[in-house]
Amino acid sequence: ADCNEYLADVVGPLTTVKYFRTWGASVTALEQLAQVEGDLTESDVVAAVDAAAERLGNTRAVCRRAYVHPLLTDDLDESSLREAWSGARRTEQLSRGERALVRLLDAAGAA
């Protein structure tokens, strides 16, 4: 509650901690999926969600339903993910995983 109150004061009333948790979980899942060689399988998606869940301290089900973006799970387009990852470079502000997620969301019109 304290963190949400702080964010509301600094960023705006609609910003909550969940935005940051969702971002972190989605970046973690994307980074995991990008490291898989060969075709992605459902077990690769499960492993990526598990990594995100561990980072957040949540269960797999909660993390998949509430924190990892569906473009990385239910609506996964492997070629789009690979393209986003290959074109992403680390900057002073964003990691490679964060840049790849921005690229993936932009390409899908979800940003």
Side-chain angles (χ1 to χ4, degrees):
D2 290 340
C3 291
N4 284 332
E5 185 178 320
Y6 172 78
L7 288 171
D9 289 343
V10 173
V11 182
L14 300 179
T15 304
T16 66
V17 171
K18 186 175 184 208
Y19 285 98
F20 293 93
R21 291 176 60 79
T22 300
W23 181 255
S26 295
V27 168
T28 299
L30 185 147
E31 290 171 342
Q32 286 285 124
L33 292 168
Q35 300 308 311
V36 174
E37 294 186 18
D39 293 339
L40 293 173
T41 64
E42 180 59 27
S43 63
D44 295 323
V45 173
V46 169
V49 172
D50 284 346
E54 183 176 329
R55 180 177 182 187
L56 296 183
N58 279 106
T59 65
R60 175 190 300 158
V62 168
C63 196
R64 187 171 188 152
R65 183 183 72 246
Y67 293 106
V68 176
H69 197 285
L71 285 174
L72 300 170
T73 57
D74 306 328
D75 302 327
L76 181 60
D77 176 350
E78 186 173 343
S79 63
S80 295
L81 182 135
R82 301 271 185 221
E83 185 177 324
W85 180 257
S86 68
R89 299 292 175 261
R90 178 179 188 79
T91 66
E92 281 187 38
Q93 294 82 21
L94 299 174
S95 70
R96 183 177 184 187
E98 290 172 320
R99 292 276 301 182
L101 184 56
V102 169
R103 290 172 55 89
L104 183 67
L105 294 171
D106 280 346

